[in-house]
């Protein structure tokens, strides 16, 4: 879900690769805002086209230009989430952790000011610790992120927080708890789809929710229930 938030469709990405590179050749070195936004967009286009190293390099360059042009810290925090996801896609998990931790240090240096996007840094660290099998650290990072409140979270990420808790419960072997959390994810996805029925991201979250409920049902030995949920997941995109 997170990846789909930031990447472009391949149909949109291909012309951007051409025009953004041309624009960067024409822009002056001191045009920080224009170079920053163009390089960041080019990074997203590279990501979508599968050129991950170029994506990271271009997006990082875009952030650097925006900061040199006086960009607000919120841009740096949100951008760090994207850079970390690119590193995760490359399998470079240690670098992803370092990206999150460096940005958290930057965010915490602001004193009592809580920057939007800070909570997602904790969310990202939680997911990485869970994948490593360190469930206690994963849980602690989620709790720290949630303690910051909604003002520290990026818009539209309610589903991802719910999903993170469900994954931890499943990894702990708490299948009943995981099922309850996945059902909560399903309710969020259903609400988002009702608001925007044509948004592919929300439909993907809806399908994934059914699929994960089916997985838990399977693990519980309820094969009929599992088949029913998987069938619902597959039906979301039937006819596309």
């Amino acid at each position: 879900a997170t990846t789909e938030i930031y990447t472009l469709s391949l149909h949109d990405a291909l012309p951007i690769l051409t025009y953004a590179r041309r624009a960067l050749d024409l822009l002056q070195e001191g045009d920080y805002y224009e170079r920053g936004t163009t390089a960041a967009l080019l990074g997203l286009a590279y990501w979508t086209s599968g050129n991950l190293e170029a994506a990271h390099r271009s997006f990082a360059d875009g952030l650097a230009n925006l900061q040199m042009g006086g960009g607000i810290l919120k841009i740096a925090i949100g951008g760090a989430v994207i850079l970390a996801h690119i590193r995760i896609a490359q399998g470079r998990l240690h670098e992803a952790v370092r990206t999150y931790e460096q940005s958290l240090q930057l965010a915490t240096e602001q004193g009592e000011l809580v920057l939007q996007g800070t909570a997602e840094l904790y969310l990202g660290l939680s997911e990485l610790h869970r994948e490593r099998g360190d469930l206690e650290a994963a849980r602690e990072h989620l709790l720290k992120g949630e303690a910051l409140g909604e003002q520290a979270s990026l818009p539209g990420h309610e589903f991802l927080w719910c999903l993170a808790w469900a994954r931890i419960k499943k990894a702990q072997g708490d299948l009943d708890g995981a099922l309850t959390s996945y059902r909560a994810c399903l309710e969020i996805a259903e609400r988002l789809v009702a608001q925007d029925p044509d948004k592919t991201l929300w439909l993907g979250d809806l399908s994934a929710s059914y699929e994960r409920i089916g997985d838990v049902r399977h693990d519980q030995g309820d094969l009929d229930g599992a088949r029913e949920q998987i069938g619902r997941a597959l039906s979301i995109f039937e006819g596309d």
Side-chain angles (χ1 to χ4, degrees), residues 3 7 13 40-42 56 58 74 90 92 108 112 117 124-127 129 149-151 153 182 185 189 240:
T3 302
T7 54
L41 184 60
L42 179 60
H56 190 279
S58 183
K74 184 170 69 173
Q90 292 177 298
R92 295 160 71 168
T108 55
E112 295 184 1
L125 282 170
S126 174
E127 289 285 271
H129 282 295
E150 291 185 7
Q151 74 276 12
S153 188
Y182 281 134
C185 294
D240 285 2

Side-chain angles (χ1 to χ4, degrees), residues 116-233:
Q116 190 178 53
T118 304
E120 271 63 45
L121 300 176
Y122 284 112
L123 174 62
L125 282 170
S126 174
E127 289 285 271
L128 288 170
H129 282 295
R130 179 186 56 78
E131 290 183 9
R132 289 175 170 180
D134 189 346
L135 301 182
E136 185 57 34
R139 184 175 177 277
E140 288 177 3
H141 282 301
L142 276 187
L143 289 172
K144 288 179 181 179
E146 286 189 338
L148 295 177
E150 291 185 7
Q151 74 276 12
S153 188
L154 295 170
H157 278 203
E158 181 185 2
F159 178 85
L160 296 178
W161 283 92
C162 182
L163 182 61
W165 278 116
R167 285 169 167 167
I168 288 177
K169 290 174 183 177
K170 189 172 187 293
Q172 290 174 325
D174 180 7
L175 295 182
D176 289 339
L179 184 60
T180 298
S181 292
Y182 281 134
R183 283 172 172 163
C185 294
L186 176 62
E187 290 178 4
I188 295 170
E190 287 175 334
R191 185 174 70 249
L192 293 171
V193 169
Q195 294 172 1
D196 190 352
D198 296 324
K199 191 173 180 66
T200 303
L201 173 60
W202 304 150
L203 291 171
D205 289 343
L206 182 62
S207 178
S209 298
Y210 282 125
E211 181 179 355
R212 291 184 176 99
I213 291 172
D215 288 341
V216 175
R217 283 299 196 195
H218 180 274
D219 292 343
Q220 291 177 321
D222 182 2
L223 300 185
D224 289 338
R227 279 192 291 268
E228 178 186 357
Q229 297 300 318
I230 297 299
R232 290 180 178 179

Side-chain angles (χ1 to χ4, degrees), residues 7-17 44-51:
T7 54
L8 307 160
S9 72
L10 188 60
H11 178 269
D12 292 330
L14 295 179
I16 288 173
L17 289 173
L44 294 180
Y46 276 130
W47 187 5
T48 302
S49 65
N51 191 339

